[in-house]
Amino acid sequence: MLLTLKAATGKSVCTAEDNDPWRTGTFVECCSGMQKALGKWRGSDHSYRCRPSAAPTPTPSPGPALSQTSVTISGGQVKTNILEWNVYYQNKDTEAIAKTIAQKQKPDIIGLCELTTSMSEMATSLTSAMGKRFKAQPGRNGWQGYGTDIFYNDEKWDA
């Protein structure tokens, strides 16, 4: 799935500090002055983060269940908040999930791992909790196995 800004900027995208340049499944270069670094950032899993070029790798600490990433369009004014959450596969309370997300911050793109409930119901709950119209990723009409389901702010993104 490819998301594009409704008002295209023509600027290149980079990964901001302390974010995983592989988070989208495709490598996105670290922003200027940053380099990718491999480490144990959360728990026992190794992953990459964009870190200042001369900075030492910090000792990681366990992170919250929800994580937020800011993606900046280089040289532009557009910032997008991306939230990823591994929800418990038996949790089908879309209203509670949406309210929890809305309390953290108001992301524009949401990835929910192991979501086993209705995509349209989740999009409706997100819209209600956040005051922005959210849509589910195209081509995902029902549960097809564990993975990440994408929801996006339809007022800002086209899919």
Side-chain angles (χ1 to χ4, degrees):
M1 176 178 75
L2 175 66
L3 291 176
T4 56
L5 277 174
K6 290 214 176 202
T9 62
K11 309 281 182 175
S12 61
V13 175
C14 64
T15 303
E17 182 175 357
D18 290 326
N19 293 296
D20 185 350
W22 289 99
R23 171 168 254 147
T24 63
T26 302
F27 182 74
V28 177
E29 290 289 338
C30 294
C31 293
S32 179
M34 303 285 156
Q35 66 183 19
K36 69 179 180 179
L38 182 62
K40 287 185 179 181
W41 307 106
R42 273 205 241 156
S44 62
D45 294 335
H46 282 84
S47 63
Y48 285 98
R49 292 288 185 265
C50 288
R51 303 289 302 148
S53 297
T57 303
T59 304
S61 61
L66 295 172
S67 61
Q68 181 132 2
T69 302
S70 291
V71 177
T72 304
I73 307 295
S74 296
Q77 301 272 335
V78 179
K79 286 195 177 180
T80 296
N81 291 318
I82 301 171
L83 183 135
E84 182 180 10
W85 182 15
N86 188 351
V87 298
Y88 181 57
Y89 74 98
Q90 292 182 348
N91 183 355
K92 299 192 185 300
D93 188 347
T94 60
E95 289 182 19
I97 293 169
K99 286 178 185 174
T100 300
I101 292 169
Q103 289 172 355
K104 290 290 181 177
Q105 288 192 23
K106 303 242 184 208
D108 298 301
I109 300 171
I110 300 166
L112 297 177
C113 301
E114 299 187 10
L115 183 69
T116 58
T117 190
S118 160
M119 298 285 288
S120 62
E121 189 176 318
M122 188 73 244
T124 299
S125 294
L126 287 167
T127 297
S128 176
M130 308 239 277
K132 303 178 201 174
R133 188 176 59 239
F134 274 80
K135 286 189 175 179
Q137 68 190 66
R140 187 80 162 94
N141 301 320
W143 191 75
Q144 298 173 2
Y146 296 108
T148 301
D149 294 308
I150 308 295
F151 299 87
Y152 62 96
N153 174 352
D154 184 52
E155 297 167 10
K156 188 171 184 179
W157 296 96
D158 278 325

